[in-house]
Amino acid sequence: MASSVCNKITAGDWDAVRKALRSKSSKDTFKSHNFESSGYNAFHLACANPAAPHDVISKMVRIDKDNLFQTTQGDETKVTPLHLACETGSADTVKLLLKLSSNQNHDVVNYVVMGGEGNWDQPKVSSLEVTWLRLIDPQYENHQGDCNTAESAMENLKRMDEVKSTADLTGKLKDTWDKTLALLWAASTGSMDMPIIGGGWHAVHAIANINRDCLYKRWCPSLVLWFALKLYPEQAKWADRDGNLPLHLATMNDRFHRHLEFQTTDLDDESVEILRRTQAREVQMLSELYPTAAKTLNKEGRLPLHLLAEFGGVTESVDVFDALLDAAPKAIRVRDPKTGLFPYMVKAVGRGPYTPYDMSGVYILLQSDPSILAYGTDSWDEAEVPEAMGDETEEEKKDAGRELSEEEAFLKRKHDEWIATERMVAGKSEEGMLAVLKEKMASDIKQYLAQIMKLETQLKKK
């Protein structure tokens, strides 16, 4: 009976599957422990099918909620239903699985990253990594036995490099980004209850901060930030309610850097060069795109260099220190207001919760300005003043004085409004918070519609 139902799921005969779901005698077929010889159960096959209807998947979870977390069997590369949905299923199925996990009072962040709970077999790669590997790994073979090709991988890498905005996303690349946003939203908010539109949530900020808050580190590869910055470069300049730009967040997260690794011998030189850029450390990407961020203080008065000195990794972070010092060479002379120490001192004493003292980091900081050794820790002297950051560069002055386009001004205004709303709801009861958010979302919908109508009118005139 199980094989018959599984064959119907694979063939997409959903009416027959629904009939089996309604039959009391066949419900055991849909239990998480009922595996085929392939190592899949019925739920795995449904999630891997891009045409799987929501009602079928939801019904299987109602029959056995463990379906959500059960890994495949009989294979070294065990994966979860979420992995399979990210690999060959639809973006809607990915969102539904995240929603169902949330409804089960499950740790959604853990589900996104590991696919299950601590007692389940942990997959070797995260669901987000699977989402992108299927696109750019020339030797990738999915769990249905379909193999990628070098030609397909090179074409996808070049398409990714040419993307300038979300309007350029089509086909498999759009599907990949839709899945990525759903995974990022769930992992950064712990919920799938709110839509990924509007609001104060921004993909670049979420990516810059996300690994640090997860139980299983290094699950979000650097390629995801590289691609997000191509779609939303303006977000590199936006601060969150704590005054942190994405660069501030990334410096606290640098020790969890991870990039996608696979054989590149089948790729041409252009594709290898694109891949190399996607493997840069997140701090390097952000400081290169928006160097002014390296000179920007957050609400605690801390620079990205202070945060990297406290929270950054060890030897592998040397290039990251170089990136920040290239963007803000005089940051080495600004004391950290939290500790009263210069950046090299913070690094030397290893004050971070995961960071031991790191002499390579201390060396690279002192090498940038050996004269800082003339100042001690007992007094606040002229070396600490923020003016030590120096004047703005011509490029920074030009950017600061540039008049925003109508679209940029609208997005910046909405961002600032949501930051103000976040501060307004802080400390309120759940009912009070919901009332404020409902009022804000209703107002936003009216403004978005007005903006769309205005743009449509302008297009008609052209």
Side-chain angles (χ1 to χ4, degrees):
M1 181 62 175
S3 296
S4 173
V5 170
C6 288
N7 289 338
K8 289 169 182 174
I9 291 173
T10 303
D13 188 352
W14 303 114
D15 288 337
V17 175
R18 289 186 181 98
K19 184 177 179 181
L21 283 166
R22 290 193 296 269
S23 171
K24 291 183 179 180
S25 61
S26 62
K27 282 192 176 180
D28 192 59
T29 301
F30 299 100
K31 293 292 184 71
S32 59
H33 60 76
N34 202 331
F35 291 97
E36 292 287 283
S37 58
S38 63
Y40 285 60
N41 61 27
F43 192 69
H44 291 135
L45 295 172
C47 292
N49 192 318
H54 279 197
D55 64 299
V56 169
I57 291 176
S58 299
K59 179 68 172 177
M60 289 186 187
V61 173
R62 286 198 294 273
I63 290 174
D64 185 355
K65 67 179 182 180
D66 286 343
N67 270 319
L68 281 169
F69 317 118
Q70 180 64 64
T71 56
T72 54
Q73 300 295 301
D75 190 339
E76 287 186 8
T77 56
K78 297 180 186 298
V79 293
T80 67
L82 183 60
H83 283 80
L84 294 169
C86 289
E87 188 179 66
T88 58
S90 69
D92 285 340
T93 297
V94 170
K95 295 172 187 176
L96 178 61
L97 291 176
L98 295 170
K99 176 69 173 175
L100 291 171
S101 171
S102 176
N103 291 346
Q104 296 291 339
N105 295 319
H106 184 72
D107 183 346
V108 179
V109 177
N110 199 10
Y111 183 54
V112 171
V113 178
M114 296 173 63
E117 302 184 59
N119 60 326
W120 296 100
D121 294 325
Q122 181 176 310
K124 293 182 179 179
V125 294
S126 71
S127 50
L128 191 56
E129 290 174 306
V130 166
T131 304
W132 288 92
L133 281 170
R134 68 185 183 127
L135 209 63
I136 62 173
D137 181 354
Q139 298 177 12
Y140 188 79
E141 180 179 350
N142 67 32
H143 288 80
Q144 294 181 341
D146 299 325
C147 297
N148 205 355
T149 64
E151 291 73 20
S152 173
M154 289 187 289
E155 180 184 351
N156 288 329
L157 278 164
K158 290 167 186 176
R159 281 186 60 213
M160 287 163 58
D161 194 43
E162 293 167 358
V163 163
K164 303 297 182 187
S165 71
T166 52
D168 298 328
L169 299 178
T170 57
K172 201 169 183 178
L173 193 54
K174 182 179 186 306
D175 174 73
T176 297
W177 187 243
D178 287 345
K179 291 174 179 176
T180 298
L181 281 180
L183 293 166
L184 290 173
W185 172 268
S188 60
T189 67
S191 171
M192 279 302 291
D193 291 336
M194 293 183 68
I196 312 173
I197 54 172
W201 185 87
H202 302 297
V204 171
H205 294 70
I207 297 164
N209 195 44
I210 207 162
N211 281 333
R212 188 161 57 98
D213 295 328
C214 290
L215 300 176
Y216 173 59
K217 312 299 183 182
R218 301 182 178 90
W219 75 277
C220 182
S222 55
L223 173 145
V224 180
L225 179 63
W226 173 82
F227 195 68
L229 289 172
K230 295 179 76 64
L231 298 176
Y232 318 112
E234 70 282 356
Q235 291 184 13
K237 304 178 182 181
W238 293 356
D240 64 14
R241 62 181 176 183
D242 297 317
N244 288 316
L245 299 171
L247 182 60
H248 290 91
L249 301 173
T251 54
M252 293 186 279
N253 195 26
D254 179 65
R255 64 187 177 279
F256 303 133
H257 167 80
R258 177 173 179 143
H259 60 259
L260 295 177
E261 295 184 357
F262 49 83
Q263 290 294 325
T264 61
T265 50
D266 295 333
L267 301 179
D268 61 22
D269 291 344
E270 182 183 355
S271 300
V272 171
E273 173 57 24
I274 295 170
L275 188 63
R276 185 193 64 78
R277 295 201 299 273
T278 73
Q279 296 175 340
R281 300 184 81 87
E282 290 81 350
V283 172
Q284 292 172 292
M285 293 184 195
L286 288 161
S287 57
E288 181 179 339
L289 178 65
Y290 185 46
T292 303
K295 303 179 182 180
T296 303
L297 302 173
N298 65 10
K299 286 193 172 180
E300 292 183 325
R302 307 186 82 188
L303 292 165
L305 186 61
H306 296 140
L307 298 171
L308 182 64
E310 179 171 352
F311 295 100
V314 285
T315 304
E316 67 270 16
S317 292
V318 169
D319 291 341
V320 180
F321 280 113
D322 280 338
L324 288 184
L325 291 168
D326 286 345
K330 295 183 180 179
I332 185 68
R333 302 179 67 82
V334 181
R335 287 186 187 270
D336 174 16
K338 180 180 176 182
T339 63
L341 303 176
F342 292 115
Y344 83 91
M345 296 175 177
V346 175
K347 195 63 186 168
V349 297
R351 295 181 63 92
Y354 304 101
T355 311
Y357 67 89
D358 173 23
M359 297 314 296
S360 60
V362 174
Y363 175 77
I364 199 72
L365 288 168
L366 287 176
Q367 188 182 45
S368 70
D369 186 0
S371 66
I372 197 68
L373 285 170
Y375 302 98
T377 60
D378 296 333
S379 61
W380 292 75
D381 48 44
E382 69 274 12
E384 107 235 0
V385 295
E387 285 76 6
M389 294 304 300
D391 297 329
E392 290 182 312
T393 64
E394 289 302 317
E395 184 179 349
E396 290 168 355
K397 288 177 182 177
K398 182 179 178 181
D399 185 69
R402 179 176 65 85
E403 185 175 348
L404 296 176
S405 68
E406 190 172 344
E407 292 81 3
E408 289 174 322
F410 178 77
L411 289 172
K412 180 67 168 63
R413 188 169 69 253
K414 300 313 299 175
H415 166 75
D416 293 342
E417 287 176 4
W418 270 95
I419 293 299
T421 302
E422 286 184 357
R423 292 173 185 154
M424 192 187 309
V425 300
K428 285 184 178 290
S429 66
E430 187 173 342
E431 292 77 11
M433 193 183 301
L434 285 173
V436 172
L437 291 174
K438 282 180 180 178
E439 182 179 348
K440 175 70 178 125
M441 291 183 77
S443 170
D444 272 2
I445 288 170
K446 291 179 182 178
Q447 292 184 47
Y448 283 130
L449 289 174
Q451 183 75 1
I452 290 169
M453 292 173 68
K454 191 173 184 179
L455 291 172
E456 285 178 344
T457 302
Q458 292 174 352
L459 286 171
K460 287 177 182 177
K461 288 181 179 179
K462 291 181 182 179

